[in-house]
Amino acid sequence: MRLMRAIAIAFSTYSRIPMPRVNWSEENQRYSMCFFPLIGLAVGLVLWLWLWLCDLWALGAFVRGALGAALPLLVSGGIHMDGFMDTLDAMASWQPREKRLEILKDVHTGAFAVMGCGAYLLVMAGVLSEARAGQGLAIAACFVLSRALSALALVWFPKARKGGMLAGFARTAKEKAVTGACCAYIALCAVAFLCAQPLSGALALAAAGLCVAYYFFFSRKYFGGTTGDIAGWFLQISELVTLGVTVLIGGRLL
């Protein structure tokens, strides 16, 4: 029952998939990040089904890409895109570190966030307009991998502040359990990539590794550590990069 409550907390926090109400105690939250990558699996399976329907009904590239770009937001509720946009606003301010952290907490949305979100969705739609159901396994692995890496960073990367959602989850998380679970997810994603599309799969894994390295550098240099918003920024970037490699390079090799 404890693990079921941890799953419910993970899905109710980071997705719009209906879950039963549970008590958000430290005991129940301790293992919740172990199941965070499963939300990526849900996103990937929904997108895989959509691509299968597009192939079945011979839908055009515009419809394929436009709805494909919207589906991850519909499943996740846009929580990571919100962090992506807040981070863009903070970086566009060209303010000192303390001011950037204040901007991350600002509920208002700036022009740079809107432009960045629009550009992101256009690029994502363009990438997914080229995707086919035959790439579904590797595409699903992109969403699992981004969340596994994000959960690892949550327990291992320095935090910019003591408060906030990310710091709260990090304090209560069972570090060894989260690390072990996420390493297992990453290994499974590697197998999925290499079995589905060996060359582009290897490139996608390398690209994900570079995204993590830049995430560490970026968060330390500009914010003094990571926050929930910066974690959302990383997740969106890593998804787009790995999907781009998987679809655009892998598609040419099928």
Side-chain angles (χ1 to χ4, degrees):
M1 287 300 295
R2 181 175 61 185
L3 294 182
M4 294 302 296
R5 289 192 290 268
I7 293 172
I9 288 175
F11 274 78
S12 61
T13 304
Y14 295 107
S15 81
R16 292 301 184 193
I17 300 172
M19 286 285 134
R21 290 183 177 274
V22 298
N23 180 23
W24 280 53
S25 64
E26 288 192 9
E27 180 66 22
N28 290 338
Q29 293 183 56
R30 187 167 297 172
Y31 297 95
S32 61
M33 294 310 296
C34 296
F35 303 101
F36 179 43
L38 294 182
I39 301 167
L41 179 61
V43 173
L45 291 177
V46 169
L47 188 54
W48 194 348
L49 174 62
W50 168 243
L51 293 175
W52 179 79
L53 292 174
C54 288
D55 288 352
L56 180 66
W57 296 334
L59 295 179
F62 181 83
V63 175
R64 180 189 298 263
L67 188 54
L71 285 175
L73 296 181
L74 294 176
V75 176
S76 69
I79 186 171
H80 310 298
M81 181 59 76
D82 177 72
F84 174 81
M85 295 173 69
D86 286 343
T87 304
L88 292 183
D89 266 344
M91 290 301 297
S93 70
W94 295 100
Q95 296 296 315
R97 178 182 296 175
E98 293 74 17
K99 183 61 176 179
R100 291 193 194 108
L101 290 171
E102 290 180 18
I103 293 172
L104 289 181
K105 296 189 292 183
D106 193 338
V107 296
H108 299 92
T109 301
F112 290 98
V114 175
M115 290 186 291
C117 179
Y120 182 98
L121 292 175
L122 282 173
V123 174
M124 177 66 84
V127 169
L128 291 177
S129 71
E130 299 290 325
R132 296 296 180 267
Q135 298 173 294
L137 179 60
I139 288 172
C142 293
F143 292 96
V144 178
L145 180 62
S146 64
R147 284 162 175 79
L149 294 172
S150 183
L152 271 181
L154 178 141
V155 296
W156 287 108
F157 280 17
K159 313 301 182 291
R161 50 182 175 234
K162 296 180 179 179
M165 180 184 291
L166 181 137
F169 271 103
R171 280 195 303 270
T172 58
K174 189 74 171 178
E175 187 175 292
K176 290 183 178 179
V178 173
T179 300
C182 289
C183 287
Y185 287 120
I186 293 169
L188 289 173
C189 289
V191 171
F193 277 129
L194 297 177
C195 288
Q197 302 176 177
L199 178 56
S200 64
L203 292 175
L205 289 170
L210 291 175
C211 286
V212 173
Y214 184 69
Y215 175 27
F216 181 80
F217 165 79
F218 174 84
S219 61
R220 285 290 301 273
K221 180 177 180 179
Y222 296 109
F223 297 91
T226 188
T227 70
D229 287 318
I230 303 170
W233 170 86
F234 161 72
L235 192 145
Q236 296 291 163
I237 293 294
S238 62
E239 280 182 0
L240 183 59
V241 170
T242 53
L243 278 170
V245 173
T246 297
V247 173
L248 300 181
I249 296 180
R252 299 297 179 271
L253 299 176
L254 287 178

